[in-house]
Amino acid sequence: MYKKSRFTFWTASFAILTSLLMASFPELVLAGIKVRQRGIPGRREPAGSRDPQSCIAPNQKNALVALVPPSNRSVTLAEYPTFLWYVPEHSAPSIDFELRDERNTTVLYKTTIETQFIRDSKSRVVFYDEKGDPIEYGRNGKPVKSGRPRSIPGVLSLTIPGNAGVKALEVNKTYLWYFEVNCPELARKPGDKPADPEDNDIYVGGWIRRVAKPDLLSQIQNAKPEERLALLAAQGIWNETISTLADLRRTNPQNQVYAKDWADLLKSVELADYAQEPLVNCCLPGKNQVSSR
C-alpha cells in the first residue's frame, strides 16, 4: 500500500481530512479570542509585525508558516503531539510555543526555544549588515561594525513533553496553539512612528483536536514505519502523518522515496514551496517552561 502512496493518495486523504475537520471542530467566535490583546490569526501564515524593521531577514523565498492543512486545524491520536513549522532566517533570541484551552482562557503549556544562530568556522555567531553581507570580526574578537545575527532557517518540530507535569490532551477536545518569534525592539530612525512592543512579535496559531481510534492504534502499534505512515494518512491523522514522515526523512536523508512523499504531502496542503527546506535538529523544550494542570 505504501509504495502506491504518491501525490494522488495524499491529495485524496487530506481532501477528506479537510472536510472532516470543518465538520468536527466546533465553530469559534474569533473576535472574542485574544492572546495578549491580539486575535488569533485564523490561518497558518503569520500575524503580527508587518514592520520593515522586523527581525525576520528580508528577501527570503518562504515566510514563517505552520505545516498544517489550509483549514489551520489538525487531528492527532497522541496525548502529547508533535507540531512542525517552517521558520525563516531571523534575529530574534528566542521563540515561544503555547498550548491553550479551546476558549483561550488557560495556558496549559508554554516553553521558550533558544534560537540557533548561524556560526562561522570558529563557532562565532555571524552578524550581517543591512545588505545581508556577513560582518568580519576584528582583532579584539568583536564584529567591526553593528549588525544582526541570523538563525538557521528550516523546518522545526516540537513535541509536548509527557514528563514535565503537562496534562495529556483529552479525547474529543479542541486546543489552541501559538508559535511566536520574539523579535526584540529595533532602533528606529528620527521621525519613525513609535512602536508598540507587541507589534514586533510575529506568530502563527491554530487548532488541534485529539481523536480516539482504537482500531487504528492497534494496527499501527506493530507496523513498520512505512506501513504506519500509510495507515495514518488514509485516516487523515495529520500530526502523526507529517511527524512520522519528517522522522523518516531525518534518519534517511538520501532516501528519494521519502523525499518525494514529503514533497507530495506538502503539495497536497498547498505548501509545495517548502518541500526543499531543510529539517533542523530542534527543538527540546527549554527555559521558562510552564504547565497548568
Side-chain angles (χ1 to χ4, degrees):
M1 179 179 177
Y2 178 75
K3 292 181 179 179
K4 296 180 181 179
S5 61
R6 294 296 178 260
F7 178 54
T8 301
F9 174 71
W10 299 120
T11 303
S13 295
F14 291 104
I16 295 171
L17 168 64
T18 299
S19 63
L20 289 174
L21 287 172
M22 296 306 292
S24 64
F25 276 78
E27 289 301 316
L28 301 178
V29 181
L30 297 184
I33 299 178
K34 293 186 176 181
V35 169
R36 291 167 54 181
Q37 306 305 313
R38 293 178 303 193
I40 246 193
R43 60 182 201 165
R44 57 189 175 178
E45 291 86 3
S49 177
R50 296 295 186 270
D51 194 315
Q53 298 189 71
S54 163
C55 69
I56 300 295
N59 303 320
Q60 298 188 75
K61 176 185 176 183
N62 290 322
L64 172 69
V65 72
L67 301 189
V68 295
S71 65
N72 206 37
R73 302 174 178 188
S74 64
V75 166
T76 183
L77 297 174
E79 294 182 334
Y80 301 98
T82 298
F83 300 81
L84 288 91
W85 305 267
Y86 171 75
V87 183
E89 290 185 11
H90 64 84
S91 58
S94 62
I95 298 170
D96 284 345
F97 171 78
E98 282 190 12
L99 182 74
R100 294 186 170 219
D101 68 329
E102 180 181 0
R103 305 309 298 182
N104 202 28
T105 57
T106 304
V107 176
L108 304 174
Y109 174 70
K110 178 178 180 178
T111 190
T112 298
I113 303 160
E114 293 187 355
T115 297
Q116 299 181 46
F117 289 118
I118 296 171
R119 294 178 178 270
D120 62 16
S121 59
K122 296 183 179 180
S123 296
R124 300 175 299 192
V125 173
V126 178
F127 290 83
Y128 296 83
D129 61 23
E130 292 181 355
K131 296 180 180 179
D133 296 325
I135 299 170
E136 294 183 358
Y137 273 78
R139 292 183 178 180
N140 61 356
K142 298 180 180 180
V144 296
K145 60 180 180 179
S146 62
R148 301 187 206 171
R150 288 191 178 184
S151 65
I152 299 171
V155 175
L156 278 58
S157 64
L158 182 143
T159 302
I160 295 176
N163 59 353
V166 184
K167 186 178 179 181
L169 270 63
E170 296 182 35
V171 172
N172 295 328
K173 288 196 69 173
T174 302
Y175 299 83
L176 296 174
W177 57 261
Y178 298 92
F179 186 79
E180 183 173 40
V181 178
N182 298 318
C183 292
E185 185 172 358
L186 303 172
R188 293 176 174 268
K189 299 176 182 178
D192 284 347
K193 180 181 177 181
D196 180 336
E198 290 186 356
D199 285 346
N200 293 317
D201 296 337
I202 300 175
Y203 64 98
V204 290
W207 292 268
I208 185 170
R209 185 176 182 87
R210 186 182 170 206
V211 297
K213 289 185 176 290
D215 292 343
L216 177 58
L217 284 172
S218 177
Q219 286 180 287
I220 66 176
Q221 188 172 14
N222 298 313
K224 295 179 180 179
E226 295 87 350
E227 296 169 342
R228 184 164 65 249
L229 181 63
L231 290 166
L232 289 165
Q235 293 292 316
I237 308 298
W238 175 260
N239 282 68
E240 281 70 70
T241 297
I242 192 168
S243 61
T244 297
L245 187 50
D247 287 342
L248 288 171
R249 288 207 64 217
R250 283 193 191 94
T251 54
N252 303 273
Q254 305 304 317
N255 189 305
Q256 295 304 306
V257 174
Y258 296 153
K260 185 178 187 304
D261 281 338
W262 177 259
D264 288 346
L265 178 61
L266 293 184
K267 186 176 182 179
S268 75
V269 292
E270 303 173 13
L271 292 173
D273 289 346
Y274 293 82
Q276 301 305 314
E277 299 292 355
L279 278 69
V280 178
N281 289 324
C282 176
C283 303
L284 293 175
K287 63 181 182 180
N288 301 332
Q289 181 172 308
V290 298
S291 62
S292 174
R293 300 184 71 90

